[in-house]
Amino acid sequence: MSAGSSLHMAYRRAGRVTSRQIWAGTHYSTKSRPSNSGFTRVTKYIAGAGVVGAPGLWWFANGRNEVPPHLASPESGNLAVARGPSREEVTRMISKEEYSFLPRDGGVNRYDGTRVASNSPTEDRYIHGTFPSPWKDGKTWMAWGVLDGHAGWQTADLLEKQLVPFVRHGLDKIKSPSDQISDEKVSDTIKKAFINLDESILKTAVEASQGNLPLQDKLANLAPAFAGSCALLSIYDPTTLKLHVACTGDSRAVLGQKNAEGKWEAIPLSVDQTGDNQEEIARLKKEHPGEEEIVAGGRVLGIMVSRAFGDSRWKWPVDLQKDLKKKFDGPSILMPKYKILTPPYLTAEPVVTSTKIDPSKPSFLIMATDGLWDNLSSQQAVDLVVKWIEKPTALSKSLTEPKYEPYDFTKYEWKEEFDEKRTTVQDGNAAVHLVRNALGGNHHEMIQGRLAYGTPFCRSIRDDITVQVVFFHVPGQ
């Protein structure tokens, strides 16, 4: 049986996750087609006039004499003032992909999630659900994951379908009794699964390019190697209460935990792996002695992360890249801007942490792509979730909204630091709550402005944002 054959993959739907299911966060949008009569009229005008812009399309399709609603007087040639998203539209945008589940299993009270796109299509993906314990003890494990793609969505999309099956396949091969399996053994197995999957992505791409497949199939197999993705995966064993977190890239996992004094602390379960991480810089210099220019300006040969899936430009020999560039118009080669002497420079090997969840201490897990952490620190995110947990009190305090001066882009820029005074509690989903407050909270002009632009202009304002919040032993959740 293949690694993933026993794993039922399904798209997100309403309802509770059941055993043997992992829900994948891919969504497709469809647009209703105009009526046949509308098509006939529009087609006729297009045939006679060539390209028709959006105002003309409205005009022809409706066959009316009045001016389209988004135009002012035709004599003036001016457009009416357009309106950005309203408060209600903001809520719809940040909660469009929200989900909540109440597993009530092994101390997990609930978990929430959402995704807000910047790229079109979004390059983020996510995973959540359950699978049978690899120890064959009849128990059920849980998994959550956020996948942050870059240079395309294809790598993250593949990880969404294959990462958990590869990890499960590795864990299933461990033969020791469950009570003798160390955290180190689980960690090493997860690391190997990540590495094996990345090697499969790169190997499949090369073999496809050299085989007899049709061109479209070759390109489909090359795409996940040409693009790249970070991966953050958490696996929870409710029997041992162990939470294993594997991080490749700069997505982040944080545990919010209430201590004996009643204070909520932010406990890091991962560390951002970027060109600013001193340990990563030291590792790269040790692996590539004499290549002092590998890391500069917080980037590794131009890329921000120091670990990732795919990203073949940082892993393949230059001659292979040149050949694939010539034959398939692959990505631009890093040379001569950067010296590529001893690849690979990136690795998909994750850093894995294992944490025992203490049932006597209320706690929750926050997992998010860097689109959230661009605007929040780990402690700020934890504090926001705590306010959401205590929402009856927090909500009553947020009803009186402060008055803000008109938002001045030249003064603050878009990626302004989070201000606790802008906190608001108005969402029933903890992940949506984090997104709202990261983008502006009760400063409605700020959040509406950050959501007003579409692709590609919004890329300088915000990244794709994917968030998951898992509650362990939290009363009331």
Side-chain angles (χ1 to χ4, degrees), residues 294-322:
I294 290 177
V295 182
R299 292 177 176 267
V300 180
L301 297 177
I303 192 171
M304 184 169 292
V305 294
S306 56
R307 304 188 189 217
F309 283 85
D311 285 325
S312 57
R313 288 183 288 173
W314 288 266
K315 297 175 182 178
W316 280 340
V318 173
D319 288 344
L320 174 59
Q321 294 189 53
K322 289 181 178 179

Tab-separated table of all heavy atoms in Angstrom, residues 294-322:
chain	number	residue	atom	x	y	z
A	294	ILE	N	27.305	34.019	0.807
A	294	ILE	CA	26.049	33.251	0.763
A	294	ILE	C	24.908	34.049	1.380
A	294	ILE	O	23.807	34.124	0.823
A	294	ILE	CB	26.207	31.903	1.494
A	294	ILE	CG1	27.119	30.985	0.707
A	294	ILE	CG2	24.847	31.232	1.696
A	294	ILE	CD1	27.378	29.659	1.393
A	295	VAL	N	25.160	34.635	2.552
A	295	VAL	CA	24.125	35.386	3.259
A	295	VAL	C	24.487	36.862	3.256
A	295	VAL	O	25.577	37.250	3.682
A	295	VAL	CB	23.957	34.894	4.703
A	295	VAL	CG1	22.832	35.664	5.393
A	295	VAL	CG2	23.671	33.397	4.742
A	296	ALA	N	23.560	37.676	2.758
A	296	ALA	CA	23.763	39.126	2.747
A	296	ALA	C	22.405	39.808	2.817
A	296	ALA	O	21.455	39.393	2.156
A	296	ALA	CB	24.506	39.554	1.479
A	297	GLY	N	22.332	40.840	3.651
A	297	GLY	CA	21.091	41.588	3.769
A	297	GLY	C	19.925	40.763	4.264
A	297	GLY	O	18.770	41.025	3.911
A	298	GLY	N	20.200	39.753	5.084
A	298	GLY	CA	19.134	38.910	5.630
A	298	GLY	C	18.582	37.894	4.644
A	298	GLY	O	17.538	37.293	4.904
A	299	ARG	N	19.293	37.676	3.536
A	299	ARG	CA	18.827	36.727	2.523
A	299	ARG	C	19.926	35.739	2.170
A	299	ARG	O	21.114	36.047	2.260
A	299	ARG	CB	18.363	37.468	1.267
A	299	ARG	CG	17.090	38.287	1.493
A	299	ARG	CD	16.691	39.077	0.265
A	299	ARG	NE	15.416	39.769	0.485
A	299	ARG	CZ	14.228	39.271	0.163
A	299	ARG	NH1	14.163	38.074	-0.424
A	299	ARG	NH2	13.120	39.944	0.403
A	300	VAL	N	19.487	34.560	1.743
A	300	VAL	CA	20.407	33.503	1.335
A	300	VAL	C	20.444	33.467	-0.186
A	300	VAL	O	19.499	33.009	-0.833
A	300	VAL	CB	19.961	32.128	1.886
A	300	VAL	CG1	20.944	31.038	1.446
A	300	VAL	CG2	19.849	32.172	3.400
A	301	LEU	N	21.527	34.031	-0.763
A	301	LEU	CA	21.644	34.140	-2.219
A	301	LEU	C	20.360	34.715	-2.818
A	301	LEU	O	19.844	34.235	-3.827
A	301	LEU	CB	21.961	32.770	-2.836
A	301	LEU	CG	23.296	32.141	-2.409
A	301	LEU	CD1	23.457	30.757	-3.023
A	301	LEU	CD2	24.464	33.034	-2.803
A	302	GLY	N	19.819	35.737	-2.136
A	302	GLY	CA	18.658	36.452	-2.645
A	302	GLY	C	17.317	36.023	-2.113
A	302	GLY	O	16.328	36.736	-2.289
A	303	ILE	N	17.225	34.854	-1.460
A	303	ILE	CA	15.949	34.380	-0.935
A	303	ILE	C	15.912	34.571	0.580
A	303	ILE	O	16.934	34.409	1.268
A	303	ILE	CB	15.702	32.903	-1.318
A	303	ILE	CG1	14.250	32.509	-1.036
A	303	ILE	CG2	16.667	31.967	-0.612
A	303	ILE	CD1	13.874	31.143	-1.598
A	304	MET	N	14.748	34.894	1.113
A	304	MET	CA	14.657	35.243	2.529
A	304	MET	C	14.833	34.033	3.440
A	304	MET	O	15.451	34.121	4.495
A	304	MET	CB	13.313	35.915	2.819
A	304	MET	CG	13.165	36.401	4.249
A	304	MET	SD	11.723	37.469	4.482
A	304	MET	CE	12.234	38.911	3.539
A	305	VAL	N	14.261	32.885	3.067
A	305	VAL	CA	14.300	31.718	3.945
A	305	VAL	C	15.584	30.923	3.733
A	305	VAL	O	16.196	30.968	2.661
A	305	VAL	CB	13.078	30.808	3.712
A	305	VAL	CG1	11.806	31.515	4.125
A	305	VAL	CG2	12.994	30.350	2.253
A	306	SER	N	15.981	30.191	4.759
A	306	SER	CA	17.180	29.355	4.675
A	306	SER	C	16.841	27.872	4.550
A	306	SER	O	17.734	27.048	4.352
A	306	SER	CB	18.067	29.576	5.905
A	306	SER	OG	17.330	29.333	7.100
A	307	ARG	N	15.538	27.550	4.663
A	307	ARG	CA	15.080	26.167	4.465
A	307	ARG	C	13.752	26.224	3.723
A	307	ARG	O	12.899	27.070	4.027
A	307	ARG	CB	14.892	25.438	5.804
A	307	ARG	CG	16.143	25.423	6.678
A	307	ARG	CD	15.966	24.529	7.898
A	307	ARG	NE	17.076	24.685	8.823
A	307	ARG	CZ	17.621	23.688	9.531
A	307	ARG	NH1	17.146	22.457	9.411
A	307	ARG	NH2	18.618	23.920	10.354
A	308	ALA	N	13.580	25.310	2.778
A	308	ALA	CA	12.339	25.308	2.006
A	308	ALA	C	12.263	24.050	1.147
A	308	ALA	O	13.275	23.424	0.826
A	308	ALA	CB	12.243	26.545	1.117
A	309	PHE	N	11.041	23.706	0.769
A	309	PHE	CA	10.814	22.662	-0.222
A	309	PHE	C	10.923	23.279	-1.619
A	309	PHE	O	10.653	24.470	-1.811
A	309	PHE	CB	9.418	22.053	-0.054
A	309	PHE	CG	9.293	21.091	1.094
A	309	PHE	CD1	9.018	21.561	2.378
A	309	PHE	CD2	9.444	19.727	0.903
A	309	PHE	CE1	8.881	20.685	3.438
A	309	PHE	CE2	9.321	18.841	1.958
A	309	PHE	CZ	9.032	19.313	3.231
A	310	GLY	N	11.270	22.438	-2.607
A	310	GLY	CA	11.363	22.931	-3.973
A	310	GLY	C	12.540	23.869	-4.122
A	310	GLY	O	13.662	23.556	-3.720
A	311	ASP	N	12.313	25.053	-4.737
A	311	ASP	CA	13.360	26.064	-4.910
A	311	ASP	C	14.613	25.465	-5.531
A	311	ASP	O	15.729	25.587	-5.005
A	311	ASP	CB	13.688	26.730	-3.569
A	311	ASP	CG	12.623	27.711	-3.118
A	311	ASP	OD1	12.033	28.378	-3.988
A	311	ASP	OD2	12.361	27.805	-1.903
A	312	SER	N	14.444	24.813	-6.679
A	312	SER	CA	15.541	24.088	-7.315
A	312	SER	C	16.709	24.984	-7.696
A	312	SER	O	17.846	24.506	-7.827
A	312	SER	CB	15.021	23.365	-8.559
A	312	SER	OG	14.412	24.280	-9.463
A	313	ARG	N	16.479	26.289	-7.878
A	313	ARG	CA	17.588	27.175	-8.238
A	313	ARG	C	18.665	27.217	-7.164
A	313	ARG	O	19.825	27.531	-7.450
A	313	ARG	CB	17.062	28.594	-8.495
A	313	ARG	CG	16.289	28.734	-9.783
A	313	ARG	CD	15.867	30.172	-10.000
A	313	ARG	NE	14.812	30.572	-9.086
A	313	ARG	CZ	14.363	31.818	-8.976
A	313	ARG	NH1	14.924	32.784	-9.699
A	313	ARG	NH2	13.375	32.104	-8.154
A	314	TRP	N	18.286	26.910	-5.938
A	314	TRP	CA	19.252	26.903	-4.837
A	314	TRP	C	19.753	25.486	-4.522
A	314	TRP	O	20.519	25.307	-3.581
A	314	TRP	CB	18.619	27.510	-3.587
A	314	TRP	CG	18.433	28.990	-3.679
A	314	TRP	CD1	19.298	29.953	-3.226
A	314	TRP	CD2	17.338	29.691	-4.268
A	314	TRP	NE1	18.803	31.203	-3.489
A	314	TRP	CE2	17.586	31.075	-4.133
A	314	TRP	CE3	16.156	29.285	-4.903
A	314	TRP	CZ2	16.709	32.048	-4.607
A	314	TRP	CZ3	15.287	30.262	-5.373
A	314	TRP	CH2	15.559	31.617	-5.229
A	315	LYS	N	19.342	24.515	-5.343
A	315	LYS	CA	19.684	23.128	-5.035
A	315	LYS	C	20.323	22.374	-6.198
A	315	LYS	O	21.168	21.509	-5.984
A	315	LYS	CB	18.417	22.378	-4.581
A	315	LYS	CG	17.817	22.934	-3.292
A	315	LYS	CD	16.507	22.268	-2.928
A	315	LYS	CE	15.913	22.876	-1.659
A	315	LYS	NZ	14.604	22.282	-1.302
A	316	TRP	N	19.927	22.660	-7.422
A	316	TRP	CA	20.443	21.932	-8.571
A	316	TRP	C	21.775	22.513	-9.061
A	316	TRP	O	22.020	23.722	-8.932
A	316	TRP	CB	19.444	21.997	-9.717
A	316	TRP	CG	18.305	21.027	-9.595
A	316	TRP	CD1	18.256	19.895	-8.849
A	316	TRP	CD2	17.045	21.121	-10.267
A	316	TRP	NE1	17.040	19.271	-9.006
A	316	TRP	CE2	16.287	19.993	-9.877
A	316	TRP	CE3	16.485	22.040	-11.165
A	316	TRP	CZ2	14.995	19.763	-10.343
A	316	TRP	CZ3	15.206	21.808	-11.639
A	316	TRP	CH2	14.469	20.682	-11.239
A	317	PRO	N	22.628	21.676	-9.696
A	317	PRO	CA	23.839	22.188	-10.346
A	317	PRO	C	23.473	23.182	-11.450
A	317	PRO	O	22.408	23.086	-12.070
A	317	PRO	CB	24.480	20.922	-10.928
A	317	PRO	CG	23.912	19.791	-10.138
A	317	PRO	CD	22.528	20.204	-9.761
A	318	VAL	N	24.340	24.108	-11.708
A	318	VAL	CA	24.058	25.166	-12.683
A	318	VAL	C	23.826	24.590	-14.077
A	318	VAL	O	22.948	25.058	-14.810
A	318	VAL	CB	25.206	26.191	-12.697
A	318	VAL	CG1	25.015	27.208	-13.823
A	318	VAL	CG2	25.291	26.909	-11.355
A	319	ASP	N	24.592	23.580	-14.473
A	319	ASP	CA	24.436	23.002	-15.809
A	319	ASP	C	23.034	22.430	-16.002
A	319	ASP	O	22.439	22.578	-17.082
A	319	ASP	CB	25.482	21.914	-16.045
A	319	ASP	CG	26.880	22.482	-16.232
A	319	ASP	OD1	26.985	23.705	-16.477
A	319	ASP	OD2	27.857	21.718	-16.121
A	320	LEU	N	22.508	21.776	-14.988
A	320	LEU	CA	21.146	21.237	-15.078
A	320	LEU	C	20.139	22.374	-15.205
A	320	LEU	O	19.196	22.300	-16.011
A	320	LEU	CB	20.832	20.392	-13.839
A	320	LEU	CG	19.392	19.881	-13.716
A	320	LEU	CD1	19.006	19.018	-14.915
A	320	LEU	CD2	19.210	19.105	-12.405
A	321	GLN	N	20.317	23.426	-14.434
A	321	GLN	CA	19.403	24.565	-14.516
A	321	GLN	C	19.435	25.203	-15.903
A	321	GLN	O	18.393	25.563	-16.456
A	321	GLN	CB	19.774	25.608	-13.460
A	321	GLN	CG	19.580	25.137	-12.026
A	321	GLN	CD	19.750	26.273	-11.042
A	321	GLN	OE1	19.117	27.313	-11.178
A	321	GLN	NE2	20.610	26.083	-10.050
A	322	LYS	N	20.614	25.337	-16.469
A	322	LYS	CA	20.725	25.913	-17.808
A	322	LYS	C	20.001	25.068	-18.837
A	322	LYS	O	19.315	25.586	-19.733
A	322	LYS	CB	22.201	26.061	-18.194
A	322	LYS	CG	22.937	27.153	-17.438
A	322	LYS	CD	24.388	27.240	-17.894
A	322	LYS	CE	25.122	28.375	-17.181
A	322	LYS	NZ	26.545	28.453	-17.606
